[in-house]
Amino acid sequence: MLNERMYHYGAERSVIREIFAYACERKAALGAERVFDFSLGNPHVPAPPAVRASIERSLATLSPAALHGYSPAGGLPEVRAAVAASLNKRYHMAYQPDDVFMTVGAAASLSCALNAVVTPAEEVIVVAPFFPEYRVWIEQAGVRMVVVPAQAEDFTLNLDALASAISPRTAAVIINSPNNPTGVVYTREQLSQLADILRAANNQRQEPIYFISDEPYRDLVSPGVEVPWLPELYEHTMVCYSYSKVLSLAGERVGWVLVPGTMPRSAEIQAAVAGAARALGFVCAPVLFQRVVMDCVDEAADMTAYERNRATLAEALRSHGYHFVEPEGAFYLWVQALESDATAFCNRARNFELLPVPSDSFGISGWVRISYCVSLDCIQASLPAWKALAESYRS
């Protein structure tokens, strides 16, 4: 029998990827330089030279079995050790290789973490706006997503609303900072207060509420902005990471889940993460790129390109009367649509070959996400179109 839920997920594609597919069609028809695709968070910045050097070294020195064979389910021991050592150096911790489970990108990280700590009929809290695929991954885990809107004025955490959303069925809270789509970085003070709220709730429960910290943009922040290390603030924290952004390897699908050994019942949760990976088919992350991670664990792509892109786009949009959130991290501009219906705004934008993403699938209305990880040439070429779009509303 056809699985109707899976059919639904396949037939109703992600809005982001639907816009990306439309962009590909338009580029084929008009030429890539005439279509301004701001849909995907697909880094245009090249990977750092160390990535190529790592790949060439592996190709030249490793046997076919070591290069193309399976790794252990949770990743190569030397790779897990390298990740743990890097985290220890950066955050002054004492993680062990077994605390790290290598995954097939951020989607696998989140899915494994969720399935490790939730059971059917429970709830997972997310802060809106949120990455749209959270809904799919949470529903696939058999639990209910509870949406808590961020503060309307600046999209920071609404602590009172989060406290009110906690119920006896709450199993986890997903925190995404720097946030996709707003670029907001939650402060240490706010996250510490949220941790205290969860501890107070835990006093009335047998099982704790877990933080699942989704961090693919951790290393993409403006100078001087702190991204607090959540395991330091709350003892029931799992961290999910991907090298898609920091190394510009979005298509290579490699990341990890961290279950700190200091977490209560850590050995059981680590086993549950491994079990979730097994059940979902996410074991044995790609070996070649596990080795890239080991060799490049403290490397980063040239993030200054994103600063230039953001400054160029923000200055132009501001001059044309657009209102947006000043991002502290990631590579998105969260812009208020020029009408209440974000989808209608995006449809009008298509007349100018502008392809942002409407906010409805992110859990709120009236905004659009512009991904500025494209080339600077694309941004500069799009500026007359953004001006024309604004003028079309004034006229």
Side-chain angles (χ1 to χ4, degrees), residues 370-382:
I370 301 174
S371 176
Y372 59 78
C373 60
V374 298
S375 70
L376 183 59
D377 287 345
C378 176
I379 289 175
Q380 291 172 330
S382 76

Side-chain angles (χ1 to χ4, degrees), residues 162-229:
L162 283 163
S164 298
I166 294 172
S167 79
R169 294 180 298 278
T170 304
V173 178
I174 295 179
I175 293 294
N176 175 217
S177 177
N179 179 259
N180 173 10
T182 65
V184 170
V185 176
Y186 304 139
T187 66
R188 176 176 291 270
E189 180 182 8
Q190 279 205 316
L191 292 169
S192 295
Q193 290 175 5
L194 179 54
D196 289 341
I197 289 168
L198 297 188
R199 288 193 191 95
N202 290 343
N203 290 335
Q204 314 300 318
R205 303 161 54 98
Q206 289 186 327
E207 295 290 334
I209 300 169
Y210 291 92
F211 263 158
I212 299 177
S213 188
D214 180 23
E215 303 193 0
Y217 302 95
R218 162 170 285 277
D219 297 300
L220 277 73
V221 293
S222 299
V225 174
E226 180 199 17
V227 182
W229 182 242

